[in-house]
Amino acid sequence: MAKNTSAIFKFKGTIDDLTFVDSKRYKPHVRARKNSKTPFVMPVALAESKNRLQACNQYAKPIFQFLRKEADGSLWSRIVSQLFKELKAGRPLGVQCLKNFECNLQHPLSEVLAGGYEISATREQSDLRIRALLHMPPEVKDQIPRAGYQLRFIIITPEVVAGTAYKREVLSDLTSYDADLKAVELTVELPPVEEPCMLVMGIVPHQQDEGPIRLMSDSGMKVVWVG
């Protein structure tokens, strides 16, 4: 229990189990050092949650580092939340829970590719074969002159034990916005690990006479496949 001290007593700090506090609100007083009388015992459920959270943070960190430039400010908390739900449900950490994950909720892929698309991917030995077909060209909602666009794919393969991840990136050929839509087929070499990977798709617009430009409103990065 706190005890008042003399107004002329100027010492502040801790001696043994006593802490001297110079408080404007409660005036100078002495109290027992925190946890010195009743040791804190962490409940089992809290300890389990703490361990889950630490595991999720380690697994999410490299994924976040690769996607942070594509995302809004909620990216980290949303990734960790998804992973935490998996562990709490008794399932192992993995990218499966991130399928259909939008990197930027302010500019989701569903707005950029409002007409829809078809996407498939197949792992063949050390390669990932990707096939994508847009039903309509990407949406354009401003007056910036665009010469065309590319489909952009990022492949991320996390390693649970090492707490690291591999990244591969590939772009389709440049396509004009009024061109006939054809299926895009690409092959990407996978890293030398057997862990599941996640495939993120987005758009890279090109401005006339200036090449590729960075527009968050156009990118729409989303996890479209895991396997």
Side-chain angles (χ1 to χ4, degrees), residues 19-65:
T19 297
F20 297 83
V21 183
D22 184 7
S23 171
K24 292 182 180 180
R25 183 173 182 178
Y26 299 109
K27 299 181 180 181
H29 63 274
V30 179
R31 61 174 173 80
R33 179 169 55 86
K34 188 176 181 181
N35 297 330
S36 63
K37 301 303 181 184
T38 306
F40 173 72
V41 178
M42 183 177 292
V44 175
L46 182 58
E48 290 177 348
S49 292
K50 179 183 177 182
N51 292 337
R52 289 192 195 106
L53 185 59
Q54 289 177 339
C56 292
N57 287 342
Q58 183 182 27
Y59 190 84
K61 185 176 180 180
I63 299 175
F64 173 76
Q65 294 296 336

Side-chain angles (χ1 to χ4, degrees), residues 141-159:
K141 298 181 179 180
D142 55 47
Q143 301 302 314
I144 297 176
R146 293 168 173 78
Y149 65 91
Q150 292 175 286
L151 294 184
R152 180 187 179 204
F153 297 95
I154 300 176
I155 298 90
I156 299 176
T157 308
E159 283 195 281

